[in-house]
Amino acid sequence: MSELKKYPPSAAWMANAHVKGPAAYQALVAEAEADHEAYWGRLARELLSWKKPFTKVLNDSEAPFFKWFEDGLLNVSYNCLDRNIEAGLGDKTAIIFEADDGSVNKVSYSQLLAKVAQLANALKKRGVKKGDRVVIYMPMSVEGVAAMQACARIGATHSVVFGGFSAQSLRDRVQDAGAVMVITADEQQRGGKSLPLKAIVDEALEGGNCPTLKDVIVYKRTGGNIAWVAGRDLWLHELTASESNVCEPEWVEAEHPLFLLYTSGSTGKPKGVQHSTGGYLLHAALTTKWTFDLKPDDVFWCTADIGWVTGHTYISYGPLALGGTEVVFEGIPTFPDAGRFWQMIQKHKVSIFYTAPTAIRSLIKAAESNEVVHPKNYDLTSLRLLGSVGEPINPAAWEWYYQHIGGGNCPIVDTFWQTETGGHMITPLPGVTTLVPGSCTLPFPGITAAIVDETGNDVPNGQGGILVVKKPWPSMIRTIYGDPERFKKSYYPSELKGYYLAGDGAIRDAETGYFTITGRIDDVLNVSGHRMGTMEIESALVSCTDLVAEAAVVGRPDDTTGEAICAFVVLKRPRPSGDEAKAIAKQLRDWVAKEIGPIAKPKDIRFGDNLPKTRSGKIMRRLLRSVAKGEAVTQDTSTLENPAILEQLGQAY
Ligand code: WT7
């Protein structure tokens, strides 16, 4: 790490940031170390408005089912909207919405509250009660954010499903959550095209296999043709038109579940990560304040979709809880051309920009092959801070981001966190941290991240190990919905001394103690910052029972997407080659897209007469990973039944 260039914070940053310089950071770390509960209790009182103050910070009597601020009452939507309006920000722009076609709609805090209250009243009238689950399957829109806030306002637990997921994935989530309602749109508009949403909801709910579901609320986005199920489907605009724009918030216990968000694990079935109200909102607000240094005049833009946790914490909740102004973008970075992000930063005078390494890498490629979309053509001087999230950022992409987007004077916060952690865990703070490209640097104050071996013992700096968090923190996952045993097994395995297991490997620099994430240690892939389980893709493939006898999925490195999905397939018919193999590969990709969603399509498909297995019948995944990478196979292959298959598997379609 010492050979990499270092970027210390400027004097101006150290003087003006919310957290001012290394000494301030050290003081916060020391405060948390001295009394973890007192530290988090102080911040929860300072950052959040409580209807009824809590008297106890942490209840660990049923660890690892930790409870934070248990006897306090609050409401997330009140904290994000009403209290900002009470503080005089009613006319301040909350959301600058830019549609796919470039049209812009600005929504003030008062307008957003009115929308949220009307929808909240309508939901109540439809019988949605505190604790009911509502699935949100919507495009990036003011209405999408408002739907989440409306659920929060009445104490309903939302579960947002990314608009790129298939009918099958949506059905699984509606069923697992036992949702009473789906809020969707007729269609979504992306890259100049209208794509279906309502039609996918119809397919998901076909045949009455979601018995808990009563209503489907439809936001009219494009006005495209859709089917209508009388008695089940309702237009959002009709439902809300006559509703009052006043709605008393439902004051809920701090532990009340704000949302479920399904994410991939190492087994086939995605898990419903359950988050709380108080602890979650605290960390959303606090990290937005300290990591992004959000100030009243900032224009904040997080490019994530609200279907992922990044969109939850840094679009729907964190920036609003602080009374910030943020951009919400419907479209894609390459439409009408790959200069879209830079053009939008210029147009809206964005000051804080948060995106994923995959996006940066693909825009570097675009800029290098087409002068017109190069960021140098745009005025990006409004920027003061950049962020990265979702996967490791390679030093070359970091440097390009720093020089070409940040103009060589914007710190980059490389934020490591997960769906389960609710907010940033290991990250630079812009007024504090000397940046090193490729490292997420040091834990956020109060987060006790550490690297241990398989038995939970600390490993020395400079030596890789398993990333854990030693003490609970307010925004941590509370459980896996409906499966507390799986929660314990996945995150608190008994051999790790009660530490939270992140599922990533990491190493700390011998000299600086900085963390570098080395990648997942389980069967989870990270493709373009999207999390995918290898088993999930395998089950999708083998569910194509007409064609597939057996399948194994591994990841391999990819220059743009970080990792790429590589599937090894044994067919129920003779191994194909040439055009036939290409055609079947396409058929299988389409199948996976239909089962899970287009993001899960394997990049490489390789056919074999069988798969390499050990004598006991276990698939030799390490060997498959070497084959996928195109590496020479160095493993012992003497146990292979049929060594010739290695050559067969060498060909990707
Ligand atoms: C996994 C979590 C965090 C919100 C988006 C993804 C990887 C995330 C970083 C980073 C290296 C990162 C980890 C983690 N990851 N951020 N800054 N550097 N790796 O959330 O879908 O729950 O995925 O993403 O592997 O475990 P997620």
Side-chain angles (χ1 to χ4, degrees):
M1 188 173 284
S2 35
E3 70 278 8
L4 283 166
K5 222 169 140 188
K6 293 184 179 167
Y7 297 84
S10 68
W13 265 102
M14 290 211 272
N16 299 320
H18 281 301
V19 184
K20 299 176 179 31
Y25 170 80
Q26 283 311 333
L28 290 166
V29 171
E31 180 190 346
E33 252 168 33
D35 193 335
H36 196 64
E37 286 188 44
Y39 168 82
W40 287 114
R42 169 176 78 78
L43 292 166
R45 284 182 202 98
E46 285 176 14
L47 274 104
L48 303 182
S49 299
W50 296 85
K51 181 69 174 176
K52 174 174 168 281
F54 55 89
T55 60
K56 187 173 172 57
V57 173
L58 174 66
N59 175 352
D60 59 5
S61 63
E62 289 163 57
F65 299 94
F66 298 99
K67 299 189 181 81
W68 288 87
F69 320 119
E70 207 180 354
D71 63 345
L73 289 180
L74 78 166
N75 180 281
V76 163
S77 154
Y78 173 83
N79 272 272
C80 293
L81 303 171
D82 310 61
R83 76 162 169 170
N84 290 320
I85 296 166
E86 287 162 20
L89 301 181
D91 293 332
K92 181 174 178 175
T93 299
I95 294 177
I96 303 170
F97 174 71
E98 180 160 324
D100 190 52
D101 68 3
S103 56
V104 173
N105 175 25
K106 294 187 180 176
V107 181
S108 70
Y109 273 90
S110 298
Q111 289 165 332
L112 185 58
L113 174 58
K115 234 183 211 311
V116 168
Q118 284 188 310
L119 179 54
N121 283 328
L123 297 185
K124 279 202 286 194
K125 213 167 267 176
R126 296 301 308 170
V128 181
K129 297 181 306 295
K130 177 182 172 193
D132 284 348
R133 276 81 56 216
V134 172
V135 162
I136 297 175
Y137 187 63
M138 290 186 87
M140 288 295 288
S141 52
V142 173
E143 284 68 19
V145 175
M148 295 165 77
Q149 287 279 347
C151 288
R153 195 159 190 93
I154 64 171
T157 299
H158 61 65
S159 182
V160 183
V161 177
F162 174 58
F165 277 122
S166 67
Q168 179 64 45
S169 298
L170 178 62
R171 179 187 306 137
D172 289 346
R173 286 155 173 78
V174 170
Q175 284 175 341
D176 190 82
V180 298
M181 180 184 272
V182 174
I183 307 180
T184 189
D186 50 358
E187 296 177 312
Q188 52 185 331
Q189 192 72 36
R190 285 166 69 86
K193 291 199 251 331
S194 299
L195 303 167
L197 282 175
K198 171 64 164 59
I200 296 172
V201 173
D202 291 342
E203 192 187 335
L205 301 179
E206 224 168 49
N209 46 26
C210 299
T212 53
L213 194 110
K214 298 195 197 87
D215 293 334
V216 174
I217 312 286
V218 188
Y219 159 52
K220 193 181 236 171
R221 168 61 188 94
T222 64
N225 254 336
I226 53 169
W228 202 255
V229 178
R232 186 198 71 182
D233 299 348
L234 300 152
W235 284 114
L236 177 79
H237 60 272
E238 286 178 3
L239 207 60
T240 52
S242 56
E243 287 301 337
S244 159
N245 55 16
V246 178
C247 173
E248 172 67 11
E250 176 87 31
W251 304 103
V252 300
E253 310 73 41
E255 280 298 316
H256 183 69
L258 176 65
F259 67 88
L260 310 179
L261 185 58
Y262 285 81
T263 193
S264 299
S266 34
T267 61
K269 196 173 159 245
K271 37 195 183 185
V273 171
Q274 181 177 318
H275 276 287
S276 70
T277 294
Y280 170 80
L281 189 64
L282 168 60
H283 207 54
L286 183 67
T287 50
T288 304
K289 184 168 176 179
W290 288 358
T291 310
F292 294 128
D293 194 50
L294 191 75
K295 302 257 175 63
D297 293 336
D298 278 310
V299 176
F300 179 81
W301 183 16
C302 164
T303 68
D305 192 282
I306 53 168
W308 309 112
V309 75
T310 309
H312 282 59
T313 306
Y314 300 109
I315 294 177
S316 300
Y317 295 118
L320 297 176
L322 296 186
T325 295
E326 63 177 337
V327 173
V328 171
F329 177 43
E330 179 182 44
I332 58 172
T334 49
F335 178 80
D337 62 37
R340 183 67 180 267
F341 276 3
W342 324 136
Q343 188 250 336
M344 281 180 64
I345 291 171
Q346 168 179 298
K347 175 163 156 193
H348 301 299
K349 300 197 165 38
V350 171
S351 58
I352 306 172
F353 180 66
Y354 190 36
T355 196
T358 292
I360 298 165
R361 287 192 295 262
S362 66
L363 296 175
I364 294 174
K365 277 196 185 161
E368 282 173 353
S369 62
N370 179 4
E371 280 282 293
V372 178
V373 298
H374 197 283
K376 70 183 176 201
N377 302 312
Y378 299 89
D379 178 4
L380 305 179
T381 51
S382 57
L383 288 169
R384 67 184 193 95
L385 179 63
L386 303 174
S388 172
V389 61
E391 43 176 330
I393 179 164
N394 48 305
W398 195 103
E399 288 288 351
W400 189 91
Y401 195 27
Y402 188 80
Q403 298 302 344
H404 293 282
I405 307 306
N409 58 27
C410 300
I412 298 176
V413 288
D414 174 3
T415 60
F416 168 83
W417 59 296
Q418 309 175 292
T419 303
E420 294 88 340
T421 70
H424 302 155
M425 298 300 279
I426 307 179
T427 177
L429 301 185
V432 171
T433 315
T434 293
L435 307 170
V436 174
S439 169
C440 52
T441 75
L442 293 171
F444 191 87
I447 301 299
T448 51
I451 300 178
V452 300
D453 63 19
E454 284 80 15
T455 55
N457 291 315
D458 288 298
V459 302
N461 288 357
Q463 198 176 306
I466 299 169
L467 181 65
V468 297
V469 184
K470 292 190 169 177
K471 292 182 191 168
W473 68 101
S475 65
M476 64 192 296
I477 173 176
R478 292 306 195 265
T479 190
I480 291 174
Y481 187 72
D483 202 347
E485 276 311 307
R486 188 173 175 200
F487 163 75
K488 275 206 266 188
K489 267 210 283 218
S490 308
Y491 304 107
Y492 284 93
S494 50
E495 62 279 12
L496 286 184
K497 302 185 173 174
Y499 300 158
Y500 167 83
L501 174 69
D504 283 288
I507 185 165
R508 299 187 71 161
D509 183 64
E511 191 186 309
T512 57
Y514 278 12
F515 287 73
T516 294
I517 306 298
T518 51
R520 297 288 305 195
I521 53 171
D522 51 12
D523 295 317
V524 169
L525 305 182
N526 192 326
V527 182
S528 299
H530 295 149
R531 190 162 147 182
M532 306 287 340
T534 54
M535 299 254 292
E536 211 178 326
I537 306 168
E538 284 166 14
S539 0
L541 283 167
V542 297
S543 74
C544 186
T545 47
D546 287 350
L547 269 178
V548 178
E550 204 179 6
V553 169
V554 301
R556 66 154 174 82
D558 181 275
D559 280 352
T560 305
T561 58
E563 272 186 298
I565 302 168
C566 182
F568 294 85
V569 178
V570 180
L571 294 176
K572 285 183 173 168
R573 61 169 84 169
R575 180 173 53 84
S577 60
D579 285 348
E580 193 200 359
K582 273 189 211 151
I584 297 179
K586 178 177 184 310
Q587 216 176 325
L588 292 178
R589 282 190 188 97
D590 292 344
W591 176 272
V592 173
K594 195 149 172 47
E595 286 295 295
I596 304 175
I599 53 172
K601 280 188 185 180
K603 182 153 188 180
D604 300 346
I605 296 187
R606 294 161 186 263
F607 299 103
D609 291 336
N610 45 46
L611 296 175
K613 293 194 183 145
T614 61
R615 284 224 173 92
S616 58
K618 273 189 86 176
I619 294 173
M620 298 168 80
R621 286 177 183 276
R622 216 157 58 85
L623 190 149
L624 290 181
R625 278 192 281 269
S626 303
V627 174
K629 266 194 228 172
E631 274 176 3
V633 172
T634 53
Q635 289 95 336
D636 177 12
T637 53
S638 59
T639 54
L640 274 182
E641 225 175 287
N642 175 6
I645 58 166
L646 282 184
E647 204 182 310
Q648 299 169 3
L649 296 172
Q651 177 66 42
Y653 293 96

